[in-house]
């Protein structure tokens, strides 16, 4: 089973593709889609739509998991991130791939064992589950891989918890 | 000049196409794109993207004007409307049509003469400018026509103000 995890953002949108084969987990691809901050907002959103659609066409995931956008302190950033998440969902569902949303806490809990885990802990647990030694960078990509792992753990495809290894 | 005005929303997204020929204004089309509230959020956003893209392909507007989404009391509604606006912008810009945003106050001021105008006043002024006798319904469509008129008035294409007629 192939899952494309996405940590939505307008300037930096993380993505991670994870394959699960029996109990074996493998990170197939991870990276960040960037749009130019100085460009027109509508053009940036159109670029993001095109890029996400390309990822779906290239990797043909069975399912897409997207981190839910919560309201942050910065209202303008929250609105832009919300717009980006809408575009990401439209691009995936437009390619007929089922989309599931997870809150940041659900992702942390599924991957690191508790909802209060920080970025470093999440990144470390992602690497442990995938058997990767080197640090996962950029961190948006690690977050997106975590979203994919969360989906595999939650959607009736239990992932071997690192704590149990 | 053809302008497609859009009042973004997820359940009801108003649109209005206005043609300007010299000093003559004509409403070519107006309506509402609906998505099913009980359907999956990602599927609704994909439907909205498809519908807006169809409108752009059908009417081939020179420019698209979109009402800017502000934060409202209901956080969940504001986020959904923000996601819908992102999808609308991506669909228009993805078809290479320039997109301009206007705040609700800018629209009211341009169409009704002051930013505090209510929906009824805006609808009445829209009809006066377009020489339409019958009430414009649904009101989301009237709002979208107002956004298109605002763009024509603001973007260096002054519209004959109703007061001057």
């Amino acid at each position: 089973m192939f899952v494309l995890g996405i940590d939505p953002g307008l300037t930096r949108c993380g993505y991670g593709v994870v394959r699960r084969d029996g109990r074996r987990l493998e990170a197939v691809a991870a990276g960040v889609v960037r749009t130019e901050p100085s460009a027109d907002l509508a053009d940036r959103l159109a670029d993001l739509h095109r890029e996400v659609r390309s990822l779906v066409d290239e990797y043909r995931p069975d399912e897409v998991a997207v981190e839910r956008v919560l309201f942050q302190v910065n209202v303008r950033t929250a609105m832009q991130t919300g717009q980006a998440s809408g575009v990401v969902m439209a691009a995936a569902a437009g390619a007929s791939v089922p989309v599931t949303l997870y809150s940041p806490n659900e992702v942390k809990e599924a991957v690191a064992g508790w909802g209060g885990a920080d970025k470093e802990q999440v990144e470390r647990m992602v690497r442990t589950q995938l058997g990767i030694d080197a640090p996962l960078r950029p961190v948006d990509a690690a977050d997106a891989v975590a979203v994919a792992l969360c989906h595999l753990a939650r959607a009736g495809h239990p992932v071997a918890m690192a704590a149990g290894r």
Side-chain angles (χ1 to χ4, degrees), chain A residues 48-108:
Chain A
L48 181 61
H49 188 274
R50 206 176 294 120
E51 294 287 343
V52 171
R53 185 59 189 255
S54 294
L55 286 173
V56 171
D57 289 345
E58 182 177 351
Y59 294 106
R60 305 200 159 276
D62 300 302
E63 301 193 12
V64 172
V66 180
E67 189 162 302
R68 195 184 295 278
V69 177
L70 304 180
F71 276 74
Q72 299 144 353
V73 180
N74 185 329
V75 165
R76 186 160 158 270
T77 306
M79 183 52 84
Q80 284 196 348
T81 309
Q83 289 169 329
S85 77
V87 165
V88 164
M89 283 187 266
S96 303
V97 182
V99 176
T100 309
L101 297 175
Y102 295 99
S103 73
N105 276 15
E106 285 174 316
V107 173
K108 290 175 195 170

Side-chain angles (χ1 to χ4, degrees), chain A residues 121-141:
Chain A
Q121 289 172 311
V122 168
E123 192 262 354
R124 217 155 46 227
M125 294 305 269
V126 164
R127 288 200 280 131
T128 304
Q129 288 190 25
L130 293 168
I132 297 172
D133 291 330
L136 274 171
R137 293 290 180 272
V139 74
D140 312 68

Side-chain angles (χ1 to χ4, degrees), chain A residues 1-3 17-22 24-26 61-64 151-152 155 157:
Chain A
M1 183 184 188
F2 257 116
V3 174
V17 184
V18 177
R19 176 167 40 203
R20 182 170 199 263
D21 191 2
R24 198 166 156 270
L25 291 168
E26 184 192 1
D62 300 302
E63 301 193 12
V64 172
H151 183 66
L152 286 164
H157 313 279

